[in-house]
Amino acid sequence: MNNLYFIFLCICLSKTSSATDTLLSSQNITDGKSLVSPGGVFELGFFSPGISKSRYLGIWYKNIPVKTVVWVANRGTPINDTSGHLLINTTAGSLALLNKNKTVFWSSNTTKETQNISPVVQLLDDGNLILRDEKEGDNSESYLWQSFDYPSDTLLPGMKLGWDLRTGLNRRLTTWKSPDDPSPGDITWEMLLHNYPEPATFIAGKEVFRSGPWNGELYSGKPPGALPAVNFSFFADEYEVYATAGMVNKSALGRMMVNRTTANPGTSPVYYYRQYWIWSEEHRNWTLYAGYPRDPCATYAKCGGNGNYISQIPSGDQDIYIKVSGAELGGKDDKWRIGVIIASAVAVILAMFLVGYLRLRRRKNLKCTQTNIEEQKQEDLELPLFDFPTIESATNKFSFNNKLGEGGFGPVYKGTLIDGKEIAVKRLSRSSGQGMIEFRNEVILIAKLQHRNLVKLLGCCIQGEEKLLIYEYMPNKGLDSFIFDEMRRKLLDWPKRFHIICGIARGLLYLHQDSRLRIIHRDLKASNVLLDREMNPKISDFGLARTFGGNQTEGNTNRVVGTYGYMAPEYATEGQFSVKSDVFSFGILLLEIISGKKSKGFYHLNHSLNLIGNAWILWNRGRPLELIDEGFGDSCNLSEVLRCIHVSLLCVQQQPEDRPTMLSVVQMLCSQSTLPQPKEPGFSSEKDLVEGEFPLLNNEMSSNGLTITLLKAR
Ligand SMILES: *[C@@H]1O[C@H](CO)[C@@H](O)[C@H](O)[C@H]1NC(C)=O
Ligand SMILES: *[C@@H]1O[C@H](CO)[C@@H](O)[C@H](O)[C@H]1NC(C)=O
Ligand SMILES: *[C@@H]1O[C@H](CO)[C@@H](O)[C@H](O)[C@H]1NC(C)=O
Ligand SMILES: *[C@@H]1O[C@H](CO)[C@@H](O)[C@H](O)[C@H]1NC(C)=O
Ligand SMILES: *[C@@H]1O[C@H](CO)[C@@H](O)[C@H](O)[C@H]1NC(C)=O
Ligand SMILES: *[C@@H]1O[C@H](CO)[C@@H](O)[C@H](O)[C@H]1NC(C)=O
Ligand SMILES: *[C@@H]1O[C@H](CO)[C@@H](O)[C@H](O)[C@H]1NC(C)=O
Ligand SMILES: *[C@@H]1O[C@H](CO)[C@@H](O)[C@H](O)[C@H]1NC(C)=O
Ligand SMILES: *[C@@H]1O[C@H](CO)[C@@H](O)[C@H](O)[C@H]1NC(C)=O
């Protein structure tokens, strides 16, 4: 009797434990069998929806009385008998759904390396069906495949709506055709990759509703404090952009789904295309917690399918959405400050003039022939000498109308040679700080450098105290004239800007590493990047560059030369410059190109943040997208932009040794590799300056982008 009872118990136990959560590669699941998640929350098996007789493989809640299917494998390819079975194809390392004739009705796309693995399938308690290598354990990063990446019409807590930018995977919801047919219907909900990504609802390919961009706390379309039971969140970096909707009470059941549901049947029906349902333990049914869109005019039925959706897309209340821009973070009453800045800048320039003038008097005039340049080896520069009258007539006697702008140490004129060739002439002003040393440096350096991203020196001209440099003419002028101009910024969409960024990086890499001489530019900024007819960037103004022989990469100078807002902390405060101080300036330039905002320099009223500080804060709050220039329109490749922001923050790190070299920068810009997390940047707020030592700049300094030379007081 006891024995019999024991046997009976054994049968019972084996019956109840026959449902397992794991499928091994030697096993299969036939129609009638199922997988049940360890906690008994979800079940995977075969079912027939509504009145349909077809068989589908799907996942539903195990422990609620209302059969609620959350995922379907073979949505559009039903099996018309009960011979379906799911197994692991060990050759391909994938999941396959076959019938008795071995016809494949559905299979998982496994893209990872599948050699030498023992794949197992498991249904988890969050409803995720995963295929993983038995040896890897339960590490979500190493899943070979997961059903959460291929949603049907339901978004469960833990699922992501949005993009994996590395693989191009777009996780989006699609309605069932009808309650009897799970094949993809005409309503979708997916993440749009704009400057400010936001989920949007589409009907038959037409956009009908946007949730409004995520503002850091909620979607602008959602009133603050609404839906306290649901934890909406949003995530974006250069690898992923997605939204999630979890339950605040983790043990409660909730799901977001797309379906055309009439919530108010009768005289004034309201259609909801998307609903959040919460399981009511009390009523033992699903309760509609939220429905979207709620605006009756946003429904297809009321506004009609007259095409007025592509022009008037109902969206969230934009007033709630407050964008923090770098420019607005600056002080407002800067007038007196600008006065002081200009006065001190003038004083500095005058001092430099005096120094330069005294030096000049002690030196003979320099000619562009090698023999006249002492200390240099005998070497043919092959640099054409122009005579002064030629240049004078080419520039209309340096007429005001020909003036292109004011470069470092002198005006630049446009000229046209007799043969029609257009040139740019830099006239080193006698009152400038550029003495013979700088001039000679510039001439020799530029003549030797040949790179498509460096401006080309055509020749020089010296007459008396007149020193002229003749460059190729750049019709599109400086990068600053685009990115900081309300109208012209629109001409630079993201692909063009990315092209410019990569060009500048390559040009700088050449200066640092590839050229025969190792050159540190020391004054890289937007106005020193010129654009040719095809918008190719060319770095200009090497007057301040320094050469080094061999591997010398650092120097210390008594003369700090550069532009505030671009200078690395160690250079501005200690006079120490290196390739890494150029990298810092490149990082600033990158931020400016992305944001369209000027790095205003170190000094701000109200101890407010500057461009770097703003970028750093937004990055750490997971809101880097708010840095992006609105002028991009929809042109931006989010992955690229975010990668550029990431790289820029690596470049402006406080410690020079933490910053990457330009070689790494070029590699990082062009690859998908994982980047290190940036550390705190230098000069992110005025506080840094007040607390830190700042021996050189104890006066108000220029923030207007002028190149300035200072004498170090030691
Ligand atoms: C499924 O598994 C059962 C038991 O392991 C086995 O008898 C059957 O042949 C398998 N069916 C298929 C189609 O592999
Ligand atoms: C099932 O489908 C196949 C082809 O897809 C068809 O040949 C067959 O007749 C169908 N069987 C039933 C019972 O409908
Ligand atoms: C397994 O996958 C391989 C490669 O994709 C394919 O050739 C083979 O037919 C599959 N086997 C089964 C049983 O589906
Ligand atoms: C399976 O194969 C048999 C003969 O090989 C054929 O008669 C039958 O229609 C096939 N069934 C399906 C569903 O393809
Ligand atoms: C598998 O990949 C192919 C091609 O990339 C795609 O067309 C198909 O939809 C994918 N299937 C699933 C289930 O994702
Ligand atoms: C909301 O979700 C986010 C992301 O999944 C998570 O980090 C956070 O802890 C959740 N908050 C609550 C209150 O559940
Ligand atoms: C959370 O949800 C569970 C299941 O619905 C319920 O029993 C429990 O009371 C809830 N907890 C709170 C704090 O609401
Ligand atoms: C979609 O909504 C309709 C109408 O409310 C309902 O009958 C149907 O069951 C819903 N479909 C799903 C898959 O829940
Ligand atoms: C859930 O059940 C309650 C009580 O029976 C009922 O009032 C309510 O309308 C039901 N909700 C839905 C969505 O069916």
Side-chain angles (χ1 to χ4, degrees):
M1 187 68 188
N2 262 354
N3 268 356
L4 226 108
Y5 180 73
F6 180 73
I7 289 165
F8 179 71
L9 191 73
C10 279
I11 290 168
C12 278
L13 278 177
S14 70
K15 256 260 171 344
T16 48
S17 63
S18 71
T20 158
D21 66 324
T22 307
L23 177 73
L24 303 176
S25 54
S26 56
Q27 299 171 323
N28 62 60
I29 296 168
T30 51
D31 199 330
K33 292 265 167 39
S34 66
L35 285 187
V36 174
S37 68
V41 186
F42 285 99
E43 182 168 23
L44 169 96
F46 291 83
F47 73 102
S48 295
I51 56 165
S52 167
K53 294 276 184 298
S54 300
R55 302 301 283 169
Y56 295 88
L57 180 75
I59 297 172
W60 55 85
Y61 293 90
K62 167 79 174 163
N63 56 4
I64 62 172
V66 184
K67 177 94 165 237
T68 310
V69 176
V70 296
W71 183 77
V72 184
N74 53 327
R75 291 187 76 172
T77 49
I79 304 174
N80 64 5
D81 56 24
T82 56
S83 73
H85 55 280
L86 180 73
L87 48 76
I88 297 171
N89 181 338
T90 42
T91 321
S94 65
L95 263 176
L97 179 64
L98 314 165
N99 70 354
K100 63 170 177 286
N101 285 16
K102 303 258 183 278
T103 310
V104 178
F105 280 76
W106 172 86
S107 82
S108 69
N109 278 356
T110 309
T111 49
K112 297 191 182 171
E113 187 56 53
T114 55
Q115 274 170 0
N116 303 320
I117 58 164
S118 13
V120 294
V121 172
Q122 204 173 354
L123 181 64
L124 306 180
D125 271 332
D126 57 3
N128 197 5
L129 181 72
I130 59 159
L131 181 69
R132 64 175 174 87
D133 184 1
E134 205 173 5
K135 296 187 290 285
E136 287 281 349
D138 192 12
N139 165 21
S140 65
E141 287 298 309
S142 68
Y143 290 165
L144 300 166
W145 178 90
Q146 56 180 327
S147 65
F148 271 17
D149 279 342
Y150 303 91
S152 297
D153 64 343
T154 304
L155 191 77
L156 295 169
M159 278 174 88
K160 297 167 178 176
L161 181 94
W163 295 78
D164 185 326
L165 299 165
R166 290 161 293 197
T167 58
L169 176 73
N170 180 14
R171 309 176 194 91
R172 54 184 201 163
L173 304 187
T174 316
T175 49
W176 287 24
K177 266 220 173 89
S178 76
D180 312 317
D181 182 1
S183 61
D186 61 350
I187 304 174
T188 63
W189 187 47
E190 65 180 274
M191 183 69 76
L192 298 181
L193 289 180
H194 294 293
N195 286 4
Y196 300 96
E198 52 183 319
T201 307
F202 290 80
I203 297 179
K206 276 191 183 150
E207 188 179 336
V208 293
F209 184 78
R210 287 191 191 179
S211 303
W214 183 256
N215 70 5
E217 278 154 35
L218 43 89
Y219 292 100
S220 57
K222 189 165 88 79
L227 313 182
V230 181
N231 176 15
F232 292 96
S233 63
F234 180 87
F235 181 88
D237 67 7
E238 68 260 53
Y239 311 120
E240 287 191 287
V241 178
Y242 63 79
T244 62
M247 292 294 292
V248 172
N249 178 352
K250 296 257 182 331
S251 48
L253 299 181
R255 67 196 163 97
M256 174 78 87
M257 75 174 294
V258 285
N259 184 22
R260 185 184 277 118
T261 304
T262 319
N264 201 4
T267 48
S268 55
V270 177
Y271 291 94
Y272 292 135
Y273 299 113
R274 194 155 47 84
Q275 307 92 35
Y276 206 95
W277 298 93
I278 293 180
W279 178 255
S280 161
E281 284 295 339
E282 187 191 348
H283 297 123
R284 309 292 291 164
N285 65 9
W286 288 103
T287 306
L288 182 65
Y289 186 65
Y292 306 89
R294 272 199 254 201
D295 180 351
C297 191
T299 65
Y300 200 65
K302 280 226 164 165
C303 294
N306 298 333
N308 57 345
Y309 289 115
I310 293 133
S311 53
Q312 258 196 324
I313 294 159
S315 181
D317 180 2
Q318 295 297 323
D319 287 347
I320 304 169
Y321 178 65
I322 301 160
K323 196 168 138 276
V324 184
S325 75
E328 277 149 25
L329 288 168
K332 279 207 178 117
D333 46 343
D334 290 44
K335 271 189 190 152
W336 66 272
R337 181 168 292 264
I338 287 168
V340 177
I341 286 167
I342 289 173
S344 49
V346 166
V348 168
I349 288 171
L350 282 179
M352 283 324 302
F353 160 63
L354 202 66
V355 173
Y357 181 71
L358 291 175
R359 283 194 186 187
L360 245 160
R361 280 180 50 135
R362 273 189 261 122
R363 281 179 179 264
K364 288 178 190 167
N365 288 349
L366 188 84
K367 291 243 166 63
C368 279
T369 47
Q370 185 53 51
T371 46
N372 283 8
I373 298 169
E374 327 92 2
E375 305 149 23
Q376 294 291 324
K377 290 180 200 137
Q378 286 293 324
E379 193 174 355
D380 187 9
L381 285 177
E382 289 174 18
L383 187 66
L385 273 171
F386 289 79
D387 64 358
F388 192 73
T390 305
I391 302 302
E392 211 175 16
S393 76
T395 59
N396 265 329
K397 297 198 169 167
F398 302 101
S399 88
F400 184 77
N401 289 339
N402 281 42
K403 193 166 160 180
L404 291 171
E406 197 75 38
F409 305 104
V412 182
Y413 296 87
K414 183 182 174 182
T416 311
L417 298 175
I418 297 169
D419 63 2
K421 190 181 171 73
E422 291 180 322
I423 53 171
V425 179
K426 182 175 174 184
R427 188 185 202 184
L428 301 162
S429 73
R430 267 172 275 179
S431 60
S432 83
Q434 182 152 9
M436 280 300 176
I437 298 172
E438 285 86 357
F439 184 62
R440 194 187 62 189
N441 272 348
E442 183 152 2
V443 172
I444 296 170
L445 287 178
I446 299 175
K448 283 177 180 167
L449 300 173
Q450 300 283 337
H451 189 273
R452 56 198 294 243
N453 296 116
L454 298 183
V455 80
K456 195 165 160 196
L457 182 68
L458 301 175
C460 78
C461 169
I462 291 177
Q463 172 141 340
E465 301 218 321
E466 285 280 5
K467 302 190 291 291
L468 305 172
L469 290 172
I470 293 100
Y471 298 97
E472 58 178 335
Y473 175 66
M474 292 288 148
N476 280 318
K477 312 222 174 75
L479 180 57
D480 57 330
S481 71
F482 281 90
I483 57 176
F484 302 138
D485 183 276
E486 276 312 316
M487 295 312 295
R488 276 159 61 97
R489 74 193 330 157
K490 298 198 179 82
L491 300 172
L492 280 192
D493 60 9
W494 175 251
K496 288 204 185 78
R497 290 191 204 207
F498 191 62
H499 173 75
I500 289 168
I501 289 168
C502 293
I504 300 168
R506 276 188 233 107
L508 204 53
L509 172 62
Y510 173 82
L511 287 179
H512 285 181
Q513 186 165 319
D514 294 347
S515 64
R516 281 187 293 154
L517 309 151
R518 181 175 291 247
I519 287 156
I520 294 171
H521 188 291
R522 292 209 278 165
D523 198 17
L524 185 68
K525 57 180 169 180
S527 59
N528 274 343
V529 174
L530 305 181
L531 298 169
D532 73 3
R533 222 170 281 280
E534 284 81 43
M535 296 304 242
N536 295 307
K538 309 233 176 191
I539 300 172
S540 78
D541 226 336
F542 297 96
L544 307 167
R546 268 268 176 138
T547 49
F548 292 100
N551 284 329
Q552 193 183 355
T553 56
E554 282 181 34
N556 193 295
T557 181
N558 288 335
R559 300 184 59 200
V560 174
V561 188
T563 302
Y564 293 101
Y566 289 91
M567 279 162 68
E570 74 280 4
Y571 182 40
T573 59
E574 306 285 330
Q576 279 181 8
F577 61 92
S578 65
V579 288
K580 295 298 185 70
S581 46
D582 270 359
V583 169
F584 185 95
S585 307
F586 176 79
I588 299 289
L589 186 53
L590 205 50
L591 283 176
E592 291 186 332
I593 295 172
I594 293 163
S595 67
K597 308 230 161 49
K598 283 185 188 171
S599 171
K600 302 220 295 184
F602 302 154
Y603 284 85
H604 289 277
L605 293 176
N606 311 329
H607 289 240
S608 58
L609 294 166
N610 53 22
L611 183 62
I612 313 177
N614 189 32
W616 174 243
I617 296 274
L618 288 174
W619 176 264
N620 281 321
R621 291 187 183 159
R623 295 155 57 185
L625 299 168
E626 289 171 35
L627 269 178
I628 299 175
D629 188 347
E630 287 153 46
F632 290 180
D634 286 348
S635 70
C636 91
N637 175 331
L638 219 57
S639 172
E640 266 168 22
V641 178
L642 286 162
R643 176 160 281 263
C644 286
I645 295 175
H646 196 154
V647 170
S648 71
L649 286 171
L650 291 173
C651 291
V652 299
Q653 290 176 105
Q654 171 85 36
Q655 299 300 329
E657 57 271 22
D658 290 334
R659 297 174 208 148
T661 61
M662 282 315 294
L663 180 64
S664 321
V665 167
V666 168
Q667 286 165 348
M668 289 190 288
L669 288 174
C670 309
S671 79
Q672 298 275 321
S673 61
T674 306
L675 308 182
Q677 278 306 308
K679 293 182 191 157
E680 174 129 18
F683 289 144
S684 54
S685 76
E686 191 186 355
K687 197 162 148 278
D688 294 357
L689 306 177
V690 175
E691 288 177 355
E693 287 280 301
F694 213 160
L696 291 170
L697 311 176
N698 48 10
N699 276 319
E700 301 288 341
M701 274 302 138
S702 163
S703 65
N704 61 1
L706 209 69
T707 300
I708 280 194
T709 307
L710 286 176
L711 281 182
K712 196 176 174 186
R714 61 156 120 125

